Amino acid sequence: MASRKKIKQPASVYVFQVFNYCFLTVLVLMCLYPMWYCLMASFSEPGKMMAHMGPLLTPLGFSVEAYKKVFLNPNIISGYKNTLFILVVGVFLNLIMTSLAAYVLSRKNVMWKKPLMIFIMITMFFSGGLIPTYLNLKDLHLNNTLWGLIIPWLINTFNMIIMRTAFESIPDSLIEAAQIDGATHWRILRSIVLPLSKATIAVMVLYYGVEKWNGWFWASALIRDRGKLPLQVILREILLSSTQSMQTGAGSSDTEAIGVTIRYATTIVATVPILCVYPFIQKYFTKGVMIGAVKE
């Protein structure tokens, strides 16, 4: 058996590869270091962290006092519950509404398909404005409710266009064969289109999930009951406040010191869950986006 000859590449290719690996390594470190800093700072002793300046690679001492204060705060627990409700119910309804709209607009024989698509795409560039949207939600009695953070944003136009393009890539012969066998559009969508679009659906879960998890603006504008605030609003309040409401029986200097580590601990607590979910969806990311972005 003849041995394979190794193709010799020019020196410029090796130089580019070395540069590319070095650049990407630096970029990864720049992205990871802020999270590492927060993690190390959250386990540091408050007094030492208060006096520390510059980079941080290891904890300054070791203390879990900040995490105890965070999980003893009732607002954190209620914020987690509210965020999980918005995340689970919101993403589920997002997928249903987005897939329904995408399926209709992906069919070739839909009446007024182009005018509908133009009308929908206009919403990507123009909206009613902040104040009219708030007044509209208030008149619909969606203020001070968790449903006010779900119902008005059931469909993201950009995500719907990606899913529509993915549905259009499914061979028409499969749809026609199902129709000949008597399958309805509901059955075609449930049994053929959605199972063949798992990668795109996984990307939609990631997009909508991150949007729901990080959402805080409309929650702060619509909700007045503190028991209904999501986690990110609570996190924002902690980061902006002196955290004196979370302390009992501590002096002002002690409160300020532990307040620093509490902010880092809260950031870690609010970030880790979404980071744990991402690796399970990441493998579908490139495939799902490309299927939904390129039209043959």
Side-chain angles (χ1 to χ4, degrees):
M1 187 175 182
S3 59
R4 295 180 181 179
K5 293 183 179 180
K6 189 175 181 180
I7 300 176
K8 187 176 182 180
Q9 295 179 339
S12 58
V13 175
Y14 291 105
V15 172
F16 173 76
Q17 290 178 345
V18 172
F19 173 78
N20 198 20
Y21 285 130
C22 293
F23 174 76
L24 291 177
T25 301
V26 173
L27 186 62
V28 168
L29 292 176
M30 290 176 61
C31 294
L32 291 179
Y33 178 72
M35 181 59 63
W36 181 257
Y37 184 95
C38 289
L39 181 62
M40 295 299 101
S42 65
F43 285 108
S44 298
E45 295 181 4
K48 294 181 179 179
M49 189 62 207
M50 188 70 179
H52 178 73
M53 298 290 289
L56 183 64
L57 299 178
T58 58
L60 301 175
F62 184 80
S63 173
V64 294
E65 190 67 24
Y67 287 96
K68 291 181 181 178
K69 296 292 184 181
V70 167
F71 287 108
L72 287 176
N73 183 4
N75 293 327
I76 294 291
I77 305 301
S78 63
Y80 253 114
K81 293 179 181 179
N82 296 330
T83 298
L84 289 176
F85 176 81
I86 296 171
L87 179 67
V88 175
V89 177
V91 171
F92 177 72
L93 295 177
N94 284 141
L95 292 178
I96 292 177
M97 298 304 294
T98 304
S99 60
L100 289 175
Y103 177 76
V104 171
L105 294 172
S106 66
R107 298 303 93 205
K108 294 181 179 180
N109 57 349
V110 175
M111 186 180 297
W112 300 331
K113 178 179 177 179
K114 285 189 176 181
L116 282 173
M117 199 64 215
I118 293 173
F119 181 77
I120 292 172
M121 289 185 66
I122 289 175
T123 62
M124 295 180 65
F125 308 100
F126 303 98
S127 65
L130 182 63
I131 296 177
T133 301
Y134 174 81
L135 295 176
N136 188 28
L137 296 178
K138 184 178 180 181
D139 292 339
L140 293 172
H141 303 288
L142 291 175
N143 59 321
N144 204 30
T145 65
L146 295 180
W147 290 107
L149 305 178
I150 297 174
I151 295 177
W153 293 273
L154 286 178
I155 298 180
N156 182 288
T157 305
F158 177 76
N159 294 343
M160 189 274 294
I161 292 174
I162 292 178
M163 187 171 282
R164 182 210 63 170
T165 309
F167 289 173
E168 287 179 341
S169 66
I170 297 175
D172 293 334
S173 58
L174 291 176
I175 309 297
E176 293 171 358
Q179 290 175 338
I180 292 174
D181 291 337
T184 62
H185 286 292
W186 291 103
R187 182 62 182 272
I188 293 172
L189 176 62
R190 185 179 71 253
S191 301
I192 298 176
V193 176
L194 292 179
L196 293 176
S197 305
K198 291 181 180 179
T200 304
I201 293 174
V203 173
M204 294 299 103
V205 171
L206 178 63
Y207 281 174
Y208 280 122
V210 172
E211 179 184 345
K212 291 287 187 290
W213 185 267
N214 292 331
W216 65 270
F217 177 77
W218 281 109
S220 62
L222 293 174
I223 295 180
R224 293 292 175 264
D225 186 356
R226 292 193 60 82
K228 298 178 181 179
L229 289 175
L231 180 64
Q232 298 302 331
V233 178
I234 303 298
L235 170 62
R236 180 174 178 270
E237 291 180 354
I238 293 175
L239 294 177
L240 295 178
S241 68
S242 61
T243 66
Q244 290 183 355
S245 60
M246 301 178 67
Q247 311 301 318
T248 55
S252 59
S253 59
D254 296 335
T255 300
E256 185 178 2
I258 198 171
V260 175
T261 56
I262 285 177
R263 291 165 184 162
Y264 290 119
T266 309
T267 303
I268 295 297
V269 168
T271 307
V272 166
I274 200 68
L275 291 179
C276 293
V277 174
Y278 181 78
F280 297 99
I281 304 178
Q282 188 269 340
K283 63 179 180 179
Y284 300 106
F285 186 80
T286 303
K287 181 181 178 181
V289 171
M290 292 303 297
I291 291 176
V294 180
K295 182 178 180 181
E296 296 182 357

